[in-house]
Amino acid sequence: MRARFLLSAAVAAGALLVVSQPALAAGPAIQITKIYYDSPGKDTRSNGSLNAEYVWIKNTSKSAVSVKGWTLADESNHRYVFPTLSIPAGKTITVRTGSGKSGTSTRYWGSGNYIWNNDKDTAYLRNASGKLVDSCSYNSTRADYKIC
Ligand SMILES: [Ca+2]
Ligand SMILES: [Ca+2]
């Protein structure tokens, strides 16, 4: 009986936690807003072509958010790990596939091959604890990019 009571108490506590959460706003504060997955022209794997493949990540909140240790990954688990970086309120950063000099608004994955498949794939954005923050899927060879 005691175990049963504890279980009930736990369930009740869980219910309270759910109730006490604020109403869900329009998605997460940090969002994947675009994936340009089929680099224009022939996919030659030149650095320019690799860098024409990119993902936009936007901070839709009213305060800066640190993305240190966050990861951006595809379905094959190719991963980009964010260094110490803060996305200012309302700003978008671009993560390009190839190599380059990363700054506050453009990050370079440093990959020698394409990350985002031309037919279908999913971008997963996870925080430093590995918790999924946002994801965006696409499944079309007719388009070159996806607005998420
Ligand atoms: Ca192409
Ligand atoms: Ca992929």
Side-chain angles (χ1 to χ4, degrees):
M1 291 309 273
R2 181 173 162 76
R4 180 172 228 167
F5 167 76
L6 287 176
L7 181 62
S8 305
V11 168
L16 280 176
L17 283 177
V18 169
V19 168
S20 66
Q21 277 180 349
L24 282 175
I30 308 293
Q31 296 181 7
I32 297 165
T33 53
K34 183 179 180 182
I35 306 171
Y36 204 112
Y37 55 85
D38 188 356
S39 185
K42 221 162 164 245
D43 292 344
T44 59
R45 272 198 267 172
S46 69
N47 195 49
S49 177
L50 290 166
N51 280 335
E53 188 190 75
Y54 61 86
V55 174
W56 278 357
I57 296 172
K58 183 176 186 181
N59 178 1
T60 65
S61 80
K62 290 190 166 62
S63 37
V65 173
S66 166
V67 293
K68 182 185 180 183
W70 288 34
T71 59
L72 179 65
D74 70 350
E75 286 187 8
S76 306
N77 207 28
H78 296 109
R79 287 198 313 160
Y80 172 78
V81 183
F82 287 90
T84 301
L85 179 72
S86 176
I87 306 179
K91 295 293 185 198
T92 293
I93 63 166
T94 305
V95 181
R96 298 188 183 276
T97 295
S99 299
K101 192 176 184 304
S102 289
T104 50
S105 61
T106 304
R107 310 302 307 180
Y108 292 90
W109 193 302
S111 173
N113 205 346
Y114 299 96
I115 299 294
W116 309 108
N117 297 25
N118 284 355
D119 51 355
K120 58 182 175 178
D121 212 338
T122 305
Y124 300 96
L125 182 66
R126 294 187 177 87
N127 70 15
S129 320
K131 184 175 180 289
L132 188 67
V133 174
D134 196 19
S135 66
C136 178
S137 295
Y138 58 87
N139 187 353
S140 172
T141 50
R142 284 181 313 223
D144 296 334
Y145 61 89
K146 161 89 178 190
I147 300 292
C148 309

